[in-house]
Amino acid sequence: MTTRARLSAAIAVATLITGSAMARADGAPLEWQKTTESPRPPARVDEATRPLLSLCGAADTALTEVASANVRAQLAGGKIMASDELAFTLRAAGSPHVWPRAWSVAGQGLEDGDVERRVRAWIAGWKRLGAGRCGVARAVAPDGATVVAAVAVDALADLTAVPATARVGQWITLEGTMIVPATAAKVVLLGPRGAPRTVVASLTGDRVRASFAVDKPGAWLVQVLATVSTGPRPVLEALVHAGVAPPARYVPSPAPGEDAGRGAKADDEAMTRMVNAARAAEALEPLRRDPELDRLALEHSQEMLRQRVVGHDVGTGDPAARVGAAGVQARITGENVASASTLEGAHRALWASPSHRGNLLLDQFTKVGIAVVRGPDGAVWVTELFTG
């Protein structure tokens, strides 16, 4: 993942994929699509949801399926999926898009106009990149209450069919088409064991292509990273299950070091403990906090919050450029950035992302700057700036 000049790292948010299996939000077992691919336009659009789709994006079958599961969960007295389960369930539904957003409302006497106003308020804070795609579902409870749920993504690329199951040792060909301009692309694999590894990929015009073998039994997370206007970030993901059946249920999988931040007096201290505990779990030396890197990390987290965009290139240049401009001597530079509802959620998402785990476990890194900024809604905006 790292070069001497610039680290092509991706962006993580509080959505993660794991290969372990918790009941879906509506209690039903997951039914996996045979392939992960996009787009998945529906054969028809429900007229009752068409006005809401016009606000949040083009209709998508996989997103609609997940929104429907959230509606069923609320009808049964439960809650909509948390971000980690949401992303996992989206993979089962066959969608490769990352960073899904979920919304719902339930109540007696909800008028269509009121629901539309609430959807407008939900999307008001978005800074859109790519093509908006959305799924909307609604139902009426036995007591007459209306329940509406939506799931939306910014689609930055589309994916030709990748199988959800494969033989151990089978070669997989990945072909994607960028929706937004990209200057570079790569594929990172996170297998059932071992460190993530980068696969050589080609970017010709808007087409991304790579081939790889799933050579161990278990779940493989395949992540396409592309350098777009906000810097390097994941644009497509798929899960391939080699020699095993896809899980019927989902359970959260804590990241190594996730509990290490408990009792810390400050958010940045908590994140530092998590980072070094994760490294210790892999027998790696801890990273030393650097005041100048801390300052640069804080400026970047503040800028991400101000723009409400998670990215490497949202302020005064990419990580290597910012480090160089500050006069910091470094052979290699890398960065993890995330936004999540909790510190633990941010750390778990970074660990679950192949490219970000690569940063966390890179033995060439010796120093780190860490900053956490909290938004008005309590969400954390995290920057981890690594040098070596």
Side-chain angles (χ1 to χ4, degrees):
M1 283 195 47
T2 309
T3 67
R4 303 280 179 183
R6 172 178 177 147
L7 179 71
S8 295
I11 304 164
V13 291
T15 56
L16 61 145
I17 306 298
T18 70
S20 55
M22 174 178 138
R24 200 170 69 178
D26 62 353
L30 290 169
E31 295 183 5
W32 286 74
Q33 291 291 322
K34 293 182 178 179
T35 60
T36 302
E37 60 185 293
S38 65
R40 286 183 179 268
R44 59 177 294 274
V45 175
D46 181 1
E47 290 302 317
T49 63
R50 189 182 293 276
L52 302 182
L53 287 168
S54 70
L55 298 174
C56 68
D60 179 274
T61 299
L63 296 171
T64 301
E65 179 180 324
V66 180
S68 296
N70 276 337
V71 166
R72 293 194 297 271
Q74 292 181 94
L75 290 175
K79 298 179 180 180
I80 66 173
M81 302 176 203
S83 57
D84 48 359
E85 186 181 3
L86 181 72
F88 184 81
T89 306
L90 196 58
R91 296 296 162 264
S95 172
H97 300 305
V98 300
W99 308 357
R101 306 176 177 101
W103 169 91
S104 71
V105 64
Q108 298 280 352
L110 280 176
E111 301 289 340
D112 289 347
D114 184 39
V115 175
E116 289 186 30
R117 284 191 294 273
R118 291 170 185 258
V119 171
R120 290 181 188 276
W122 174 49
I123 66 177
W126 299 1
K127 187 170 182 178
R128 270 248 161 99
L129 180 65
R133 298 198 183 147
C134 193
V136 179
R138 63 187 300 160
V140 177
D143 63 0
T146 298
V147 181
V148 184
V151 178
V153 297
D154 289 345
L156 277 67
D158 280 319
L159 183 67
T160 301
V162 169
T165 59
R167 302 182 310 277
V168 176
Q170 181 176 332
W171 280 84
I172 307 293
T173 296
L174 180 147
E175 295 181 334
T177 303
M178 295 299 305
I179 295 173
V180 299
T183 57
K186 64 169 61 177
V187 173
V188 181
L189 302 179
L190 182 59
R193 297 185 302 279
R197 72 174 191 255
T198 299
V199 173
V200 175
S202 64
L203 175 63
T204 306
D206 61 355
R207 299 298 180 92
V208 180
R209 193 177 190 280
S211 295
F212 55 89
V214 286
D215 54 9
K216 297 183 181 68
W220 291 76
L221 175 59
V222 185
Q223 187 180 74
V224 178
L225 309 173
T227 302
V228 297
S229 60
T230 57
R233 59 159 284 176
V235 296
L236 295 167
E237 290 182 343
L239 275 171
V240 179
H241 301 84
V244 297
R249 300 187 181 276
Y250 169 79
V251 290
S253 179
E258 189 172 309
D259 295 334
R262 293 180 181 174
K265 295 181 180 180
D267 288 341
D268 60 329
E269 179 187 348
M271 290 303 298
T272 304
R273 291 183 184 181
M274 293 182 200
V275 167
N276 282 330
R279 288 176 64 88
E282 298 294 328
L284 294 171
E285 292 294 320
L287 300 174
R288 291 182 286 111
R289 289 283 294 276
D290 180 274
E292 186 64 11
L293 294 179
D294 280 346
R295 181 185 69 80
L296 294 173
L298 178 59
E299 290 178 353
H300 195 69
S301 285
Q302 290 171 335
E303 186 63 19
M304 288 195 300
L305 172 59
R306 187 184 72 80
Q307 296 191 34
R308 300 198 69 80
V309 173
V310 178
H312 297 286
D313 231 347
V314 299
T316 55
D318 63 34
R322 285 182 266 122
V323 167
V328 176
Q329 298 297 314
R331 294 179 299 104
I332 54 172
T333 303
E335 183 172 71
N336 286 349
V337 287
S339 179
S341 58
T342 65
L343 294 173
E344 293 80 8
H347 179 68
R348 187 181 295 185
L350 291 169
W351 179 261
S353 168
S355 53
H356 293 86
R357 187 183 302 188
N359 272 348
L360 289 168
L361 301 182
L362 189 66
D363 59 4
Q364 298 175 65
F365 287 143
T366 57
K367 297 180 181 179
V368 67
I370 293 181
V372 180
V373 174
R374 288 188 178 265
D377 58 357
V380 295
W381 296 76
V382 178
T383 301
E384 300 169 350
L385 184 56
F386 307 92
T387 63

